[in-house]
Amino acid sequence: MEEFRIAAIPGDGIGTEVVTAGIEVLEAVAGRDGGFRLSFDHFDWGSDYYRRHGEMMPKDGLDRIRGHDAILFGAVGAPDVPDHVSLWGLRLAICQSFDQYANVRPVRLLPGIVGPLRGVSSDDLDWVIVRENSEGEYAGQGGRSHRGLPEEVATEVAIFTRAGVTRIMRFAFGLARSRPRKRLTVVTKSNAQRHGMVMWDEIAAEVAAEFPDVAWDKMLVDAMTARMTLHPATLDTIVATNLHADILSDLAAALAGSLGIAPTANLDPERRFPSMFEPIHGSAMDIVGKGIANPVATFWSAALMLDHFGEAAAAARLMRAVERVTADPSCHPPDLGGTATTRMVTDAMLAAICGENV
């Protein structure tokens, strides 16, 4: 029986609450399917660790998790720790060091959830957003000089490489090919950003020639926000830069009902390093300890993890359980307009997974 080792890093805020729920559900799925085992190693890295040690994770942290099959991550961010310190000290340190260059964010209207768009069905809003996750606007290049003086200067340099753009384009076209509609939309801002974004457009056209069975089109990022809200049924698979896809995926999650249901897979498609799976919602410090965090995004992220392991049947079982739970309004937490607690949603998931027909 195959065993998968998972590094569990709850991080900050509600990360601890939803990762705990996610582990319960993953163990239930593994027990139900019986064809594989899961083991979890727990790491208390995050802002509390930073307050004690002056760093978000130990200096040998990456070596400690390098040999795992995947990482289940919660959230990062706390009011008393600068955001750039917490993000670059933990989440981005993992993503970039393990070259998790494909950030994949599926978005769809789940049963029982009503999004803000009128007359939109689950057939209309069923997307996958592919975010370039290693360079671009989040490459960490730039600097500041003349600090505190009137002539202070800060630069944030977006780095686009032919290798980086080509590999994310090939990944996105391949993902689009695997979906029923075989359609990809490439998002840039090449009218105003005439160097990096024009290169994106050119490479997209080059890679498209390798995928003649995939229909594709281009959109400027500002026009894309309008298309997502006004014509969602025209979209399927979407690829964009680190910054643009970060913003668009939050919009997409809101259109699907809540950030609390949106999952993320940070993939190293070549499988040289462990990939990382996490909810999109962040640390949500305003609801920490209230027991009302929505764990659905973590459950969906866990399904992406199982699929990454090649356990397609278990992943499908987990998603069927998610759909059964969201279809029941009594299982909706406050972010979905209900009163359910994290515990209630988790218990409903466990019951659904153990049910005969899931």
Side-chain angles (χ1 to χ4, degrees), residues 51-356:
R51 296 182 192 101
R52 298 193 304 269
H53 302 284
E55 54 190 0
M56 295 292 290
M57 66 175 174
K59 290 179 174 56
D60 66 344
L62 294 174
D63 290 333
R64 294 190 193 184
I65 61 178
R66 188 183 305 272
H68 288 76
D69 296 295
I71 303 159
L72 182 63
F73 192 84
V76 68
D80 60 334
V81 179
D83 286 342
H84 67 279
V85 170
S86 59
L87 189 64
W88 279 96
L90 187 56
R91 185 188 175 277
L92 287 180
I94 294 171
C95 286
Q96 296 206 346
S97 298
F98 289 162
D99 203 17
Q100 297 166 349
Y101 67 83
N103 178 286
V104 180
R105 297 186 170 187
V107 183
R108 62 184 172 94
L109 280 175
L110 294 172
I113 296 177
V114 179
L117 299 180
R118 295 191 303 271
V120 173
S121 70
S122 57
D123 292 330
D124 298 326
L125 205 166
D126 184 356
W127 310 328
V128 178
I129 298 176
V130 177
R131 169 184 172 186
E132 200 293 314
N133 207 35
S134 67
E135 51 180 40
E137 304 87 351
Y138 296 174
Q141 300 296 307
R144 292 172 66 181
S145 59
H146 310 301
R147 285 177 180 255
L149 299 176
E151 61 270 27
E152 183 172 1
V153 175
T155 61
E156 200 75 53
V157 182
I159 303 295
F160 301 104
T161 67
R162 172 163 285 274
V165 178
T166 299
R167 68 182 183 177
I168 199 64
M169 285 295 174
R170 286 204 175 108
F171 179 90
F173 271 96
L175 181 58
R177 171 184 276 171
S178 72
R179 287 169 59 81
R181 296 182 64 192
K182 300 186 189 304
R183 182 172 187 83
L184 178 68
T185 299
V186 178
V187 180
T188 67
K189 187 59 179 168
S190 51
N191 60 340
Q193 296 175 288
R194 59 182 180 162
H195 302 299
M197 294 289 85
V198 171
M199 188 175 78
W200 264 71
D201 288 348
E202 293 170 355
I203 293 175
E206 293 169 10
V207 174
E210 304 171 16
F211 297 85
D213 55 330
V214 176
W216 74 288
D217 63 339
K218 296 188 301 181
M219 289 291 293
L220 298 176
V221 65
D222 43 351
M224 185 63 171
T225 61
R227 183 174 171 185
M228 289 168 67
T229 54
L230 298 177
H231 306 290
T234 67
L235 296 165
D236 186 77
T237 308
I238 301 161
V239 63
T241 70
N242 219 330
L243 173 63
H244 292 162
D246 189 7
I247 296 168
L248 292 177
S249 59
D250 275 22
L251 171 60
L255 296 178
S258 171
L259 291 179
I261 62 172
T264 303
N266 300 285
L267 301 178
D268 166 26
E270 285 72 44
R271 298 175 183 263
R272 300 155 297 169
F273 305 102
S275 294
M276 182 163 66
F277 302 83
E278 60 177 324
I280 197 176
H281 51 58
S283 55
M285 300 300 290
D286 57 322
I287 60 169
V288 172
K290 296 182 179 180
I292 58 173
N294 190 343
V296 167
T298 303
F299 300 153
W300 196 344
S301 299
L304 297 177
M305 178 191 295
L306 292 176
D307 195 59
H308 182 69
F309 289 158
E311 299 295 338
R317 184 186 302 281
L318 179 48
M319 281 310 299
R320 288 196 298 271
V322 166
E323 291 174 351
R324 178 173 292 186
V325 168
T326 62
D328 182 355
S330 69
C331 293
H332 288 188
D335 65 297
L336 294 175
T339 59
T341 63
T342 309
R343 184 71 260 166
M344 291 168 61
V345 179
T346 305
D347 287 342
M349 279 291 298
L350 296 173
I353 290 166
C354 296
E356 291 298 321

Side-chain angles (χ1 to χ4, degrees), residues 25-48:
V25 165
L26 278 166
E27 289 178 333
V29 173
R32 171 69 189 265
D33 276 61
F36 62 95
R37 286 194 297 262
L38 302 174
S39 64
F40 295 87
D41 294 319
H42 301 269
F43 299 90
D44 65 343
W45 306 336
S47 294
D48 284 343

